[in-house]
Structure formats: C-alpha cells, structure tokens
Amino acid sequence: MCGIVGFSGTREAAAVLIDGLRRLEYRGYDSAGIAVADGENINVAKVKGYVKNLAELTHDGADIKGTVGVGHTRWATHGAPNDINAHPHMSSDGRFAVVHNGIIENYALLRQELTKKGYKFASDTDTEVVAHLLEMYYDGDAKRAVMKTASRLEGSYSLGVICRDGRLFAMREQSPLILGLGVGENYFASDVAALVPHTKNVIYLEDGEFAELTPDSITVYDVRGRAVDKPVSRVTWDVEAAEKGGYEHFMLKEIMEQPACFKATVEPRIKDGRIEFESFELSDEELHGINRIIITACGSAGYAGQVGRYVIEELCRIPVAVELASELRYRGPIIDGHTLLIVISQSGETADTIAAMRECKQRGARTLAIVNVVGSTIAKLADHVIYTWAGPEIAVATTKGYTTQVAVLDMLAIYLADRLGLMDKERYDKLIEALHDMPGKLQRAIDLNRNIKKLAKRLCGHNDIYFIGRNLDYAVCMEGALKLKEISYIFAEAYAAGELKHGTIALIEQGSLVVTLACYEPLFEKTMSNIEEVKARGAQVLAVSLEDNRQILKKADDFILVPRTEPILNPIAEVIPLQLFAYYVAKERGCDIDKPKNLAKSVTVE
Ligand code: G6P
C-alpha cells in the first residue's frame, strides 16, 4: 500500500526519489509523484499509473530541480486514482508539500473547518487537509507548524513534509516509517527496501514521533517537540536480496529461495539438537497456565495459522482458534491471562492485525509475534517475537513469507509439546532430524515438478477451480486457492473435502477442475472417496500426492508429486508446487504476477 520516500542531500533529489519509489512499487499502488524544493519553490510532478510514467514525464527526474524532496506511491482510499488525487499535495501558498501513507479519519471535519476559513481544496483526498493545516499554523516556524498540525490529526499516518526553503520533516502515527542515515545525505521511507541501496544504518520512528532531516543530521522529536535520543539499528538485508537476480519475476525468485529461507529460519534455532527461541522465555508455570491459543492474522498469514492450528493441537493438546484479525478486532474477544495470542505477519504492519493484537493485549493476552520485518510495529508491540528469516519479500503474493511462518509454527509446536512433557525423546529427535532434512526436501519439491509449466498451459483456461483436502491438506488448500486467485484472477476456493456434499458438489459439472490434496495419509482413503464423488459428476482431478504413494495415479487425471517428509512438516513441501502452478497459470494468462490488480503487499489501512 502507499509508500513514501524523502531525501535531503546536496545532489539532485528527483532521481533518488524516483529510484526509491521503484523499490516501493511492490507494496501496491495506482499513482505516483514527487515534490522537490529548490530553495525558492517546490516543483511537483505526479501521474496516474506507474513510477515508469513518472520517470518518463520528468526525464528520469532531470526536469525537477532541487536537492530536498519527497515522493509517493498512492493506493487510492479517498478519491479516484488520477493525477489530481496523486500525492504530493500542496498548501495553497505553495510553502508546503505533503506525502501521506494511512488515513486521516477526521479529515471531513477538518476539511469543513478549513473550507470555512477560505482554504480551497484541489483534490478529493484526506491528505490535502494536512497541507492546508500546515499553512494555517505556519508563523515563521515550520517545526511548530508540523507539531500543531500533528495534534489535529486522528487516524494513522506516516507523513513526509517539505518546505519551500528546503526543510524536510517526517512524522509517524501507526504507519511504518524508517529513517536512513547516509554520509552527507539522509533519507526516510516506508520500508527498508528503499533505503538499502544507500545505507544500512536506520532509525525506527515510534508513534507520535517526528524528525527533521538535513543533509548532515537527523533530529528526532517526541510529540512535545523535545529531542529524543534514538538508537541506530543495522539492517541485515542487502540490496541484491530485494532485486530479481535474473528471474523474470520476484515471485519465481522467492519460490526458489524457499529451501534457503527455511534453513535460515530454522537452523540457528536448533542448538545441540534442541530448539531454542531467542525471545520466548516462559517459566514452566506460565507455560502450563496457557489453556488456549488464538492465532490471528490476515490473508496468507492466517492460512499459515490454519496449518499451525492442526499441528499445535495435535502435538500440544491445547485448543487453538484461528481468527481473522479484521473480525477479531471488533468482536470483543474473550480472553484472559491464560490465553496465548500468536500474531502472524510478514510485514508486521497490517492494520487489522495490529488492531486485533492491541485489543487482545488490552484484555490480558500474552502475545507472541511471528514476523518477517525487524523493527515493525507488530514486532515492537509483542511480548515475544520469533522472526522468520525470509529476507525481503517483494512479490505481492507471499511464498517464502508463508512457508517460513509455517516453519516457525511447526518448531513452536514441537518446542511446546516437549516442554509440556507430551513428547518422548525418540519422537523429538526424529522431528529435529526431519527439520534438518527439510531444505533438501523443499528443493526436491521444486525439482520434482518441472512439468508444472505444461500442466498450467493445459489447465489455465478454467474459470473456476476447486481445491479440496482434509486436515493439513485442507489448510494447504486454502493457501493454494488464494495463490491462484490473487495472481491469475481465476475464481478458486478451498473446501474441506468432507464438506463437499453439503453444498459445493452442486457446482461440479462436466470438466470442472478439482485440485485434490491427498498427502495427509491418515485420511487418504476418505480423500480417495471424494475423488470418486467428483469424478462421478464429470470433474477433472489434479491430485497432489506423496511421491511414493502411487495409488492416486490410477484415479487422477493429472498429478503433482511431493516428497515425503514428517507428516506435520508436509504442508511446507506441499504448497510449493501449488505456488508454481499459480505462477505458471498466471503467466499463461498474461497477468501482472508481481503486482496483481487491486492488491497491496502491505495493507496498512483498514
Ligand atoms: C496482503 C498481502 C498478503 C498477505 C496479507 C497479510 O493481503 O497481499 O500476501 O498475506 O496482506 O500481510 P502480512 O504482512 O500481515 O503477512
């Protein structure tokens, strides 16, 4: 979702800003713009569409002069995606330009107030009120105007503000914003992807803080304008990790990275054959006191949670509920000090997930976050954090983010079961060995399925595709179906195979494509019966099965094979061919794979 960048230096700012915006493109957007101060004026360029359109319009920034500036990619919330609503927005007197990520919830009232005072609005956005407020409060001191403006705003925002005279400010309230420290130049951005080409030294702003950036300094202030001493953190991602590295799409690159990401996430946490987490210190008493686990998340992170639910319940015998964050936040969740809330998020910035987490925390839940982005809001809010070490994930449709989340949940289940005294040594050791073997298995899941491209070519014409499975297979179906619909725009839905005959089977007709996941062996025969049922109604079956279980081959029309692993780890291998299937189907259909329409990578507004 919207991305913002800011630059203060001695070289021309526009090209730096446009490059920064390119690196934020993956977040999802529909228009782009920059504003650059040259000491006397603010020069603005903005367009509906892509950053490449902005680059064309400005001759790669060469037409926009000045050494201080802000840039923006907009994902429309208030007002259509067009040139006028694109950011930056200017104050009427031309003194301030503003870029904004988030939603100003009281913008309608503010707009009314400002209109009465004679301010003229050019756009339909909530953001424009900020520019006019700055003008209204300006009395010769830009910092004071920034503070007074911030005190009037309700909602979530990260804001970048430039003044005509070259002063540059960044403010944060419930929306990500990171400051980058360079040499003779400084930066800010919505995420580190835009900063890593310039610097790995960053400062994470907290809610309510704001900063002033000059070429030589960054000063962070609290809400009352007092300077705050902030620690400088070092980013571990390098710039290559956020580039395509020869692959046609980020999604394919990220699929291929999964064996390595699994290893990076799991291996450092196995010491002398035992799982150890860096930030999950629970006493035995606290651990035995947990009588319920709630997993909350959005999208694929929620589907990783679905896998986690089966595994944790099986190994730990603790009841687990998986709750959509957008629902949980408004449901007055029933929670007490015996509830462990597991919050899963790749970005750590998903607005609904943050809100659900705050709600549950307030009601006394102990919180454990499984997050990929270091220093993100969810990581900071949680009592305990287990990072997934997947590296930067750029494709909107998550792949390595999801599999590393499942990896952490599997490890957590093993760890908890062991500490609760529910697992004998032999089983524990076997699972640890299986975790060590997984990177190789995941590579095999990729290698085994070289035929998926052909399969996708043949099956890409279907308008709707059903995914069915039981138990862990069902959990994986949810992610497999989501991948397909996100990037290929085919209607795809997951159904618990046993539930089929209570409704969905009415939709099955001659030629319907039913992807049947049959890797969960305790219920294999049941799933085989479901295959019979849909075939009897004319369905075409694409089966996903363990490579050494050939029984299914007689029944299915097509098949995908998955290497055998420990059953609880199987979903991680099983989802890989489904990701590849979605990828190649989307490619056949000519879709914009890394940036699917209407979707955003990091959904920072409700
Ligand atoms: C968006 C992304 C999904 C992601 C979901 C949750 O919808 O497109 O890929 O699963 O947000 O994001 P999070 O960063 O919280 O995991």
Side-chain angles (χ1 to χ4, degrees), residues 373-588:
V373 177
V374 174
S376 56
T377 304
I378 291 174
K380 283 194 267 184
L381 275 176
D383 299 316
H384 314 277
V385 187
I386 304 177
Y387 284 108
T388 51
W389 297 120
E393 192 177 60
I394 306 294
V396 165
T398 178
T399 52
K400 60 180 184 170
Y402 167 88
T403 46
T404 49
Q405 286 160 355
V406 176
V408 167
L409 287 161
D410 284 337
M411 287 182 91
L412 184 68
I414 300 167
Y415 171 86
L416 291 174
D418 174 54
R419 285 205 51 198
L420 290 167
L422 295 171
M423 188 177 285
D424 61 38
K425 185 173 179 323
E426 199 185 331
R427 173 110 173 95
Y428 186 88
D429 291 347
K430 202 168 161 218
L431 285 168
I432 298 292
E433 201 185 310
L435 283 170
H436 281 305
D437 290 346
M438 275 305 274
K441 301 272 184 182
L442 299 185
Q443 190 55 50
R444 178 142 183 84
I446 295 170
D447 297 341
L448 256 179
N449 289 293
R450 299 278 178 210
N451 64 332
I452 286 194
K453 218 176 187 167
K454 280 199 202 129
L455 207 59
K457 201 178 177 89
R458 192 150 49 74
L459 300 176
C460 67
H462 283 268
N463 291 327
D464 36 38
I465 299 183
Y466 305 85
F467 283 70
I468 63 168
R470 289 165 180 265
N471 197 283
L472 284 170
D473 285 333
Y474 172 44
V476 178
C477 280
M478 296 180 203
E479 176 60 7
L482 179 65
K483 280 293 82 82
L484 195 65
K485 77 181 123 188
E486 279 181 312
I487 60 168
S488 74
Y489 316 138
I490 294 175
F491 176 85
E493 209 53 77
Y495 300 95
E499 194 55 24
L500 210 57
K501 54 172 84 65
H502 298 292
T504 309
I505 204 161
L507 299 173
I508 303 295
E509 55 188 24
Q510 196 61 39
S512 298
L513 180 58
V514 179
V515 179
T516 309
L517 274 59
C519 295
Y520 185 71
E521 291 195 319
L523 296 174
F524 181 78
E525 293 305 331
K526 307 263 178 209
T527 308
M528 293 291 269
S529 306
N530 295 124
I531 292 184
E532 300 282 6
E533 284 161 12
V534 293
K535 282 201 73 89
R537 282 144 187 101
Q540 191 182 344
V541 169
L542 167 59
V544 181
S545 155
L546 295 177
E547 68 175 310
D548 55 3
N549 181 349
R550 301 275 160 154
Q551 289 180 60
I552 207 150
L553 308 188
K554 293 185 219 121
K555 296 234 155 86
D557 299 281
D558 291 292
F559 56 88
I560 285 171
L561 295 175
V562 178
R564 180 178 289 276
T565 66
E566 267 296 315
I568 63 156
L569 302 179
N570 221 68
I572 307 176
E574 195 176 4
V575 81
I576 289 180
L578 300 182
Q579 296 166 343
L580 286 166
F581 182 65
Y583 173 82
Y584 285 115
V585 167
K587 200 166 162 208
E588 284 298 328

Side-chain angles (χ1 to χ4, degrees), residues 28-51:
Y29 72 108
D30 39 46
S31 51
I34 53 171
V36 176
D38 62 12
E40 285 175 16
N41 292 304
I42 295 179
N43 308 306
V44 176
K46 50 190 197 172
V47 283
K48 177 180 175 199
Y50 290 128
V51 176

Side-chain angles (χ1 to χ4, degrees), residues 298-301 344-348 350 353 396-398 405 486 600-601 603:
C298 298
S300 292
I344 309 176
S345 175
Q346 187 282 127
S347 64
T350 303
T353 312
V396 165
T398 178
Q405 286 160 355
E486 279 181 312
K601 178 77 183 157
V603 182

Side-chain angles (χ1 to χ4, degrees), residues 281-296:
E281 312 84 14
L282 286 186
S283 66
D284 285 345
E285 197 189 338
E286 287 169 323
L287 198 65
H288 285 273
I290 296 172
N291 60 15
R292 201 158 72 101
I293 293 177
I294 295 181
I295 298 179
T296 197

